[in-house]
């Protein structure tokens, strides 16, 4: 019985990866507004289906032997802002993570403070929408614990991740990388703010000093170079209003694997 269920879960997961990959590859398709709204409905449906079928299930975890010998870096691999370069040159001792928005106790945490908090380690597979995967070991602070410490206000619905890289240079500053997740994913046990990868400090190419791991979603959700996390009631006021850099350019907000 349980074997059947496991297998079914696997099949559902595989189907969804395929549909997510197929969709994001079709840039021409998402240009049309009507197609976009149809896709939004389909996306809501697949999120609800996945949540209903999988509940709070964990993403698969692997063993040390499965860790990929090379883990490709994608997107920004070296933020070029003066602020980031200063942080990097000081080995991130002057960097701080801002925790704010709809919280009772806004906080600023240094890397040393984050590393001193109870951590979770997980070996998981990262799936990029461009069609490559890699297995890595991540260690970091469970996001739920941090949010509990900050105290979410009752209006909070989403957690936004602000990043230190301006992916697309524009005059209006609309090209900063950012991401967002809802509270179900924010409090999922495998959602962590990772400061280490494969047992070492996170490298710059992989998002130093801190990145998000939200293991049931695709690569572009895994925001690197975090500068702040913000609790908000809705996403429409931020940048393009779709909850993420790539989402504002047509990708799905819920990128379930
Ligand atoms: N800040 C930031 N986060 C980011 C990106 C980026 O360009 N900037 N790229 C995303 C994409 S598309 C992927 S696949 C992963 C790549 O993570 P890696 O460089 O550790 O492989 O980071 C994601 N997070
Ligand atoms: Mo990606």
């Amino acid at each position: 019985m349980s074997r059947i269920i496991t297998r079914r879960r696997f099949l559902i997961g595989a189907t969804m990866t395929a549909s997510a990959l197929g969709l994001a590859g079709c840039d021409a398709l998402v240009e049309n507004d009507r197609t976009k709204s149809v896709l939004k409905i389909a996306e809501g449906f697949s999120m609800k289906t996945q949540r209903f079928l999988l509940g709070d299930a964990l993403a698969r975890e692997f063993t040390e032997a499965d860790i990929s010998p090379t883990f490709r870096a994608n997107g920004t691999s070296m933020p070029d802002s003066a602020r980031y370069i200063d942080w990097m040159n000081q080995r991130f001792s002057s960097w701080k993570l801002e925790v704010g928005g709809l919280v009772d106790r806004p906080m600023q945490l240094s890397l040393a403070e984050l590393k001193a908090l109870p951590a979770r380690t997980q070996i998981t597979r990262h799936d990029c929408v461009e069609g490559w995967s890699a297995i890595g070991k991540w260690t970091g602070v469970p996001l739920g614990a941090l949010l509990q410490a900050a105290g979410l206000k009752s209006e909070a619905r989403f957690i936004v991740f602000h990043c230190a890289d301006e992916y697309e240079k524009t005059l209006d500053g609309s090209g900063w990388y950012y991401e967002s997740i809802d509270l179900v994913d924010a409090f999922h046990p495998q959602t962590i703010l990772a400061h280490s990868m494969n047992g070492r400090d996170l490298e710059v190419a992989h998002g130093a000093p801190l990145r998000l791991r939200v293991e049931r979603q695709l690569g572009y959700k895994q925001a690197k170079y975090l500068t702040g996390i913000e609790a908000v009631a809705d996403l429409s006021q931020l940048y393009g209003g779709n909850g993420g850099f790539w989402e504002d350019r047509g990708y799905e907000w819920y990128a379930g694997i």
Side-chain angles (χ1 to χ4, degrees):
M1 174 67 181
S2 74
R3 239 164 85 203
I4 293 171
I5 290 173
T6 311
R7 175 149 175 78
R8 193 177 298 157
R9 275 185 187 165
F10 170 74
L11 286 175
I12 289 159
T15 315
M16 283 185 178
T17 310
S19 70
L21 294 175
L23 172 59
C26 293
D27 277 355
L29 193 70
V30 284
E31 232 115 80
N32 175 315
D33 268 359
R34 187 117 142 263
T35 319
K36 240 183 208 162
S37 61
V38 173
L39 291 175
K40 277 262 166 288
I41 295 167
E43 178 191 347
F45 178 74
S46 74
M47 174 171 89
K48 288 196 184 100
T49 312
Q50 184 178 15
R51 292 255 166 92
F52 174 74
L53 292 166
L54 303 184
D56 219 21
L58 298 183
R60 179 168 172 200
E61 295 195 13
F62 297 79
T63 68
E64 298 268 343
D66 299 315
I67 295 174
S68 303
T70 57
F71 196 115
R72 182 173 146 174
N74 207 36
T76 303
S77 56
M78 168 70 221
D80 57 7
S81 67
R83 186 170 71 140
Y84 186 83
I85 291 164
D86 274 353
W87 285 331
M88 193 181 69
N89 288 338
Q90 294 160 51
R91 307 187 71 220
F92 301 104
S93 59
S94 55
W95 170 94
K96 278 196 159 78
L97 178 75
E98 297 242 10
V99 182
L102 297 171
V103 296
D104 294 327
R105 295 171 290 280
M107 302 186 283
Q108 285 202 336
L109 296 161
S110 70
L111 186 56
E113 286 168 330
L114 285 162
K115 283 179 161 182
L117 294 174
R120 184 180 205 280
T121 293
Q122 58 206 30
I123 301 174
T124 54
R125 197 186 62 212
H126 174 107
D127 295 314
C128 173
V129 79
E130 291 166 18
W132 59 273
S133 299
I135 293 175
K137 179 165 91 169
W138 307 99
T139 303
V141 184
L143 178 60
L146 213 59
L147 295 176
Q148 230 145 25
L152 280 185
K153 292 190 187 295
S154 60
E155 314 91 84
R157 290 283 175 279
F158 303 95
I159 306 301
V160 176
F161 302 86
H162 296 284
C163 304
D165 57 320
E166 192 177 17
Y167 193 96
E168 211 173 83
K169 305 279 189 293
T170 60
L171 289 176
D172 64 358
S174 61
W176 289 86
Y177 204 93
Y178 76 107
E179 259 304 338
S180 63
I181 57 177
D182 66 11
L183 297 185
V184 174
D185 267 325
F187 284 92
H188 185 274
Q190 286 170 318
T191 300
I192 64 173
L193 301 182
H195 47 67
S196 306
M197 178 186 184
N198 298 342
R200 291 184 300 276
D201 286 352
L202 203 55
E203 287 171 21
V204 167
H206 294 294
L210 195 72
R211 79 172 311 165
L212 174 66
R213 292 303 310 173
V214 50
E215 304 291 359
R216 298 183 304 176
Q217 296 202 52
L218 288 170
Y220 61 85
K221 300 299 287 189
Q222 324 296 326
K224 307 196 278 189
Y225 314 113
L226 297 182
T227 56
I229 62 179
E230 185 188 2
V232 300
D234 78 294
L235 299 169
S236 64
Q237 305 306 307
L238 283 139
Y239 296 96
N242 298 294
F245 177 88
W246 286 115
E247 289 85 332
D248 286 338
R249 288 154 185 80
Y251 282 44
E252 290 174 272
W253 175 77
Y254 188 76
I257 295 175

